[in-house]
Amino acid sequence: MKKKAVISLFLLFAVFTSLVPVALADSADEHQIFDLVNNERSKKRLGRLDWNDRLADMARSYSKQMSKENFFSHYDPEGKTVVDRAKNVRISWQKIGENLFYCSGLTEFNDFAVKGWMKSSSHRRNILDPEWTASGIGVYEARDGRVFVTQVFIEEKVLTQRPRRAQGK
């Protein structure tokens, strides 16, 4: 009887997990893509981007949303963009941009993603923009083999202080 219960539980688990996309978000993949992007920037003598955890969280969340809601676009189904997503999580920026990548069935996709971006004029322009100061990358890998990568770039907002008025003696 115990053997049948264990087999039944295993089958239930196998069926359930195959139907539910689960993030295999590997921060190693995210950081490898980030390093590859910075390598492309260094070839053009551009400054390295700083890794930003908040941007990575936002990017990862968007990659997951695209997978779960079955779309691939800079606009979500409600028409919201990276600008709206950044405002929603209270990220300050002077300039913001986004690169997206999608593939299916590839286990090694990091180099492929960056090479693809570099072949596209708009994505290449994002990667090589000298004004960007920080970036975050979010990867979401669904159980069915679909991979969504979102990279968010920002030029950080410079906080300026008002000059202090001289106080009379």
Side-chain angles (χ1 to χ4, degrees):
M1 185 70 171
K2 283 185 181 181
K3 195 173 189 178
K4 285 183 182 179
V6 170
I7 291 172
S8 295
L9 283 175
F10 175 77
L11 289 174
L12 180 62
F13 176 77
V15 168
F16 178 73
T17 57
S18 68
L19 296 176
V20 178
V22 173
L24 302 175
D26 184 351
S27 66
D29 286 323
E30 294 168 352
H31 285 279
Q32 185 179 5
I33 293 169
F34 180 76
D35 289 340
L36 290 168
V37 166
N38 269 329
N39 289 344
E40 293 297 334
R41 290 176 62 83
S42 70
K43 290 177 190 177
K44 299 295 184 185
R45 299 177 192 232
L46 297 169
R48 288 185 57 81
L49 298 169
D50 293 326
W51 177 266
N52 183 303
D53 285 326
R54 291 182 66 215
L55 292 176
D57 290 344
M58 185 179 91
R60 197 175 301 112
S61 177
Y62 192 59
S63 290
K64 181 178 179 179
Q65 180 186 2
M66 287 189 291
S67 174
K68 292 202 175 251
E69 295 179 20
N70 204 26
F71 72 95
F72 179 70
S73 174
H74 291 285
Y75 297 89
D76 73 11
E78 295 176 2
K80 294 182 179 172
T81 68
V82 66
V83 170
D84 301 304
R85 292 189 293 279
K87 284 180 183 175
N88 189 44
V89 295
R90 293 184 170 88
I91 293 175
S92 300
W93 46 271
Q94 208 149 304
K95 178 177 170 181
I96 192 164
E98 174 179 71
N99 280 351
L100 301 177
F101 171 79
Y102 166 84
C103 69
S104 184
L106 290 179
T107 55
E108 299 293 325
F109 53 84
N110 301 333
D111 195 51
F112 188 64
V114 176
K115 284 181 180 177
W117 284 338
M118 291 304 290
K119 289 179 182 177
S120 159
S121 63
S122 61
H123 295 95
R124 179 184 178 90
R125 191 168 36 253
N126 264 346
I127 289 171
L128 300 179
D129 188 324
E131 294 177 348
W132 299 137
T133 55
S135 182
I137 295 172
V139 173
Y140 187 87
E141 225 177 313
R143 284 203 182 273
D144 63 6
R146 293 177 304 142
V147 176
F148 295 82
V149 179
T150 302
Q151 180 171 26
V152 179
F153 302 88
I154 60 168
E155 177 185 1
E156 293 166 305
K157 192 175 259 188
V158 179
L159 300 175
T160 57
Q161 293 180 348
R162 290 184 188 167
R164 294 185 182 192
R165 293 183 186 187
Q167 294 183 348
K169 293 184 180 179

